[in-house]
Amino acid sequence: MSKRTTVNGGNQDMDKDLTEEKYKLLHKGGGQDDFIHAPIDKLGVAGRWLRHKLLDGILVGTPVLQTIQKHRTPKRTLLMKMISFLGTEDFYTVLFLLIIWCLDGRLGRLFGVLMGIGFYAAGFFKSLLCLPRPPFNKVKPEEKAYDWALPSHHSLLGTILPWYIWIYINVHQELSSVQLTCLFLVISSWSFSVMFSRLYLGVHSPADIVSGGFVGVLVLSLWLQVDDIVDNFISQQKVENPLQCVLLFAALLYLHPKCDPGNPSFTDNCCLAGVVTGLIIGRSQRSRLLGFPSLLETLPLDTPLSNFIFLTSMRLIVGAIFVFVARTILKFIVTTVIEIVFKLLGLQFYSSSTYRDAGHTRFKHYNENFRLPPIYIKQAENEDDELSSSDSTNSICSTSSYEKTTEMNPALCWDVVVPSKCIVYAVLTYLAVEVVPQVFILIGL
């Protein structure tokens, strides 16, 4: 009999003497010996060792979440869900439009680019590591989670975006000490409450939050060294060929670790890649489609409060209507055209959004079936120990009930959502930064 050892904090057993061939077959299968494989496993021992250590860090924080869980009440849960919304893509999109339309055009541009970088960094590492959320049998989650856990999107973005606003205003605006103090309290409360809300809701461990904050600090530190260079580059019409920008973001998406079907990390990054692409092209080209000049970079500081509130409200209402209508039309047209093209080319395709909404994504919370591949995997010593990989042709993603009941295997199909979101969000952002401001001027806003 082979020796056995416990891993993952002693929660399950693994065969220490598992051969490389058996491992390759087991992680492709769908039975009880299935391993949760991740792109970082390709690094061998180092990659698998890192995943084991990070998983231990995730599980060790469970008692903290259990303690927080004891103090949940319906009102507190509702409050935490509202606070958690302040760290979502939807909220940051509204904030981005508010800044770029009503407050400071330059800050809005830089905020949008940084938001894209933050989403890409978080999604990249999540898909690279494929680590679970808190144990489901010990911590009851208050929200559904479709992507992997570490690092936390909310934590990473809650570090870079609020604090970049704080730093930018400190550098570019002259505020009194009272104003700075009030702004600091708002920024710090926003940042830290968003992080805590994820712990309260049981969808992230302390390790997820800490790692997200750590990566966020690194991203923000690097961004502060190049933000002026980036803005000068895109504002002085140096992006001569928009195709170069498109190819750059296409390359970044190509380098993104492959996700399991229905995982929103990659499609979210497609959205943000489209946003940044549209923002850069819109600002660098400045085609003046309606013949009007751009808005002032900033709203004058001496603008009366009543005028400011009126202008801000009207611009948001008009802009939101314009963007919503454009999004509805664009989404229908682009998705229809892409599906027709795929059919003409004879390509199989599916919608990851539909797949996810139907409940066919892999369960992302830790449970007894979550098994990492062992750190050390020996090579087979003789042919009797080898298992032919030809006996299994499906990938790890093809073990869900969805695939067992249909002929379509999402792991082998094109996701129609990917090109659709890239195109739709690129065009929408272009309209938001180039056309909508000219609409404001046209109607006297």
Side-chain angles (χ1 to χ4, degrees):
M1 294 179 64
S2 62
K3 297 180 181 179
R4 301 184 71 85
T5 183
T6 59
V7 297
N8 296 349
N11 286 279
Q12 49 186 300
D13 293 332
M14 292 289 183
D15 190 344
K16 187 176 181 179
D17 295 329
L18 188 68
T19 66
E20 187 77 31
E21 287 75 12
K22 288 181 180 179
Y23 161 65
K24 288 180 178 179
L25 177 57
L26 287 175
H27 91 256
K28 289 181 178 179
Q32 60 181 358
D33 294 321
D34 184 26
F35 295 121
I36 304 299
H37 191 57
I40 198 173
D41 290 342
K42 295 178 181 179
L43 296 180
V45 173
R48 296 191 291 268
W49 176 86
L50 178 61
R51 289 187 76 203
H52 278 259
K53 294 304 177 183
L54 291 175
L55 178 58
D56 288 340
I58 290 173
L59 297 180
V60 79
T62 302
V64 175
L65 300 180
Q66 289 177 308
T67 301
I68 295 174
Q69 184 175 250
K70 294 178 182 178
H71 298 280
R72 287 178 182 170
T73 65
K75 290 183 179 180
R76 290 173 185 168
T77 299
L78 178 61
L79 175 62
M80 288 300 162
K81 287 183 177 181
M82 293 172 62
I83 293 175
S84 178
F85 175 75
L86 301 181
T88 62
E89 176 189 353
D90 294 335
F91 172 76
Y92 287 127
T93 300
V94 174
L95 182 59
F96 161 68
L97 295 176
L98 170 65
I99 294 174
I100 206 165
W101 287 344
C102 308
L103 301 177
D104 189 320
R106 185 174 186 272
L107 173 59
R109 292 192 299 274
L110 295 174
F111 183 92
V113 175
L114 182 58
M115 180 169 62
I117 294 173
F119 266 95
Y120 184 87
F124 184 95
F125 286 114
K126 281 188 176 189
S127 301
L128 182 69
L129 297 169
C130 296
L131 291 171
R133 293 175 182 270
F136 184 77
N137 60 341
K138 296 181 179 180
V139 180
K140 178 186 176 183
E142 295 290 343
E143 288 184 359
K144 292 182 179 180
Y146 298 104
D147 59 345
W148 298 108
L150 188 148
S152 164
H153 265 105
H154 281 70
S155 179
L156 194 154
L157 295 169
T159 298
I160 64 175
L161 297 180
W163 291 108
Y164 181 67
I165 293 176
W166 161 257
I167 294 172
Y168 184 94
I169 291 178
N170 266 277
V171 172
H172 297 280
Q173 300 289 346
E174 295 183 2
L175 301 180
S176 66
S177 57
V178 174
Q179 291 173 322
L180 286 175
T181 301
C182 293
L183 180 62
F184 175 80
L185 292 175
V186 170
I187 293 296
S188 58
S189 299
W190 172 18
S191 177
F192 293 113
S193 63
V194 165
M195 297 181 194
F196 178 76
S197 71
R198 306 307 285 170
L199 298 175
Y200 179 94
L201 296 173
V203 291
H204 276 297
S205 68
D208 302 336
I209 302 300
V210 171
S211 60
F214 177 75
V215 177
V217 169
L218 292 179
V219 170
L220 182 57
S221 299
L222 294 173
W223 175 248
L224 291 173
Q225 310 304 314
V226 300
D227 60 343
D228 288 336
I229 298 175
V230 170
D231 188 64
N232 288 336
F233 184 81
I234 65 177
S235 297
Q236 295 178 10
Q237 297 178 291
K238 293 184 178 180
V239 185
E240 298 178 357
N241 187 354
L243 181 60
Q244 297 174 350
C245 183
V246 174
L247 292 177
L248 171 62
F249 287 103
L252 290 175
L253 292 176
Y254 177 79
L255 294 174
H256 192 285
K258 300 302 180 289
C259 298
D260 47 305
N263 191 317
S265 292
F266 183 69
T267 53
D268 285 347
N269 283 338
C270 289
C271 292
L272 271 298
V275 168
V276 178
T277 300
L279 193 156
I280 292 175
I281 293 176
R283 176 61 182 175
S284 63
Q285 302 301 309
R286 298 203 292 277
S287 59
R288 304 289 185 270
L289 294 181
L290 302 181
F292 296 102
S294 298
L295 294 174
L296 294 174
E297 283 290 283
T298 61
L299 202 63
L301 294 177
D302 57 352
T303 302
L305 181 60
S306 59
N307 289 351
F308 172 78
I309 294 175
F310 174 77
L311 285 174
T312 299
S313 302
M314 293 305 298
R315 286 180 180 180
L316 285 178
I317 293 172
V318 173
I321 294 174
F322 185 96
V323 170
F324 177 78
V325 173
R327 179 182 180 276
T328 303
I329 297 173
L330 279 171
K331 183 178 180 181
F332 174 78
I333 294 176
V334 172
T335 302
T336 302
V337 170
I338 290 176
E339 290 182 356
I340 292 174
V341 171
F342 280 178
K343 290 178 180 178
L344 291 176
L345 295 176
L347 301 175
Q348 286 188 318
F349 62 89
Y350 81 110
S351 169
S352 58
S353 297
T354 303
Y355 182 87
R356 179 174 61 250
D357 294 341
H360 302 304
T361 56
R362 181 180 290 277
F363 190 63
K364 297 301 191 296
H365 284 267
Y366 182 82
N367 57 66
E368 64 276 5
N369 294 322
F370 188 95
R371 308 183 70 198
L372 293 183
I375 297 175
Y376 299 101
I377 302 173
K378 291 184 177 181
Q379 296 291 335
E381 297 180 357
N382 53 67
E383 294 183 358
D384 293 335
D385 292 333
E386 296 183 4
L387 294 174
S388 174
S389 61
S390 62
D391 295 334
S392 177
T393 58
N394 293 332
S395 70
I396 182 175
C397 299
S398 64
T399 62
S400 69
S401 59
Y402 180 84
E403 298 159 41
K404 293 176 182 178
T405 58
T406 66
E407 296 181 357
M408 189 275 290
N409 179 359
L412 304 177
C413 298
W414 294 84
D415 183 3
V416 72
V417 173
V418 171
S420 175
K421 287 199 170 186
C422 287
I423 296 172
V424 169
Y425 280 85
V427 176
L428 277 180
T429 306
Y430 177 86
L431 295 175
V433 301
E434 172 63 23
V435 178
V436 173
Q438 297 185 50
V439 172
F440 293 157
I441 297 175
L442 179 64
I443 63 178
L445 294 177

